[in-house]
């Protein structure tokens, strides 16, 4: 099958993907969500390794996902198509800062359970802000579920492979690269849509 035939098939299956800027943006979002899954699994592995406690793992999951119950509805009421890209970019930037902090603390040997739990809360709050923003951007094209759920198994695979090859703590560096690609895609799509709006 030629590249043109493959592109035609994908465009018929997902008409929104006919636009190159959207394909780039969706690729970045898939990478970003992959980074989120990678981060959550890495934190889970490290917390369990350091604590050996199922209760602390449960607390970790509560801190990662609990803010969705309170923060996401509040953020969702404030996010519209006009500010969703900006909100997503800010969250990706915050995620990169948190990831860099986790990586640096782990390299210094200062990353303990309490610091990981504090980071998990910050990650949970930022994810709760990002969820409605990502939905506004991707639901428009009917692709939110694909980007979110389709990357989950790859996140686990990436963590398993990277942690075996590099060590669990270095998985944070892999995650930073993945999150950065998501931020680059948001910036590129924002520039493209701004140029397009200016041309009209």
């Amino acid at each position: 099958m030629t590249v043109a035939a493959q592109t035609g098939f994908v465009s018929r299956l997902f008409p929104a993907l006919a636009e190159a800027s959207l394909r780039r943006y969706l690729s970045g979002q898939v990478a970003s969500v992959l980074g989120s899954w990678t981060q959550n699994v890495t934190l889970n592995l490290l917390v369990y390794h350091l604590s050996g406690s199922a209760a602390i793992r449960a607390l970790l999951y509560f801190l990662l996902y609990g803010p969705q119950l309170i923060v996401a509805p509040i953020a969702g009421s404030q996010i519209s198509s006009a500010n969703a890209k900006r909100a997503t970019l800010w969250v990706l930037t915050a995620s990169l800062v948190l990831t860099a902090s986790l990586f640096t603390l782990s390299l210094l040997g200062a990353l303990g359970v309490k610091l990981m739990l504090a980071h998990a809360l910050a990650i949970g709050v930022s994810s709760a802000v990002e969820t409605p923003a990502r939905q506004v951007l991707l639901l428009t094209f009917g692709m939110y579920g694909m980007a979110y759920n389709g990357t989950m198994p790859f996140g686990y695979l990436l963590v398993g492979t990277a942690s075996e090859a590099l060590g669990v703590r270095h998985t944070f560096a892999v995650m930073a690269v993945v999150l950065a690609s998501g931020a680059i895609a948001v910036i590129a799509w924002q520039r493209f849509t701004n140029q397009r709006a200016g041309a009209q």
Side-chain angles (χ1 to χ4, degrees):
M1 186 179 271
T2 66
V3 174
Q6 289 174 344
T7 304
F9 172 74
V10 171
S11 295
R12 283 191 305 277
L13 190 59
F14 300 106
L17 291 179
E19 188 170 326
S21 67
L22 180 63
R23 285 194 306 271
R24 284 191 299 273
Y25 175 74
L26 182 62
S27 299
Q29 286 301 294
V30 166
S32 172
V33 173
L34 180 62
S36 297
W37 284 117
T38 304
Q39 181 172 335
N40 295 351
V41 174
T42 301
L43 284 171
N44 179 34
L45 289 171
L46 279 175
V47 163
Y48 188 70
H49 175 74
L50 293 175
S51 73
S53 168
I56 292 178
R57 282 181 61 200
L59 177 59
L60 172 76
Y61 278 109
F62 177 78
L63 295 171
L64 286 170
Y65 300 109
Q68 292 286 343
L69 297 172
I70 298 169
V71 177
I74 295 168
S77 69
Q78 302 300 312
I79 293 176
S80 67
S81 58
N83 63 5
K85 284 186 259 182
R86 187 173 55 240
T88 301
L89 190 55
W90 278 105
V91 169
L92 285 168
T93 302
S95 295
L96 281 168
V97 168
L98 289 165
T99 300
S101 173
L102 286 165
F103 182 64
T104 303
L105 289 168
S106 69
L107 284 180
L108 296 173
L111 187 59
V113 172
K114 289 180 183 176
L115 279 173
M116 281 190 278
L117 292 175
H119 277 79
L121 178 60
I123 291 164
V125 169
S126 68
S127 293
V129 172
E130 183 183 27
T131 298
R134 190 186 303 269
Q135 288 176 345
V136 166
L137 294 174
L138 291 180
L139 274 180
T140 305
F141 308 105
M143 297 178 189
Y144 176 76
M146 182 183 75
Y148 188 77
N149 295 318
T151 58
M152 184 189 323
F154 296 104
Y156 295 135
L157 181 63
L158 182 62
V159 171
T161 305
S163 64
E164 284 291 319
L166 306 171
V168 175
R169 295 176 192 270
H170 288 87
T171 306
F172 292 123
V174 172
M175 187 173 53
V177 170
V178 172
L179 289 170
S181 67
I184 290 167
V186 171
I187 292 168
W189 193 40
Q190 193 168 14
R191 287 185 181 152
F192 176 81
T193 54
N194 288 345
Q195 290 171 352
R196 191 170 170 193
Q200 292 176 351

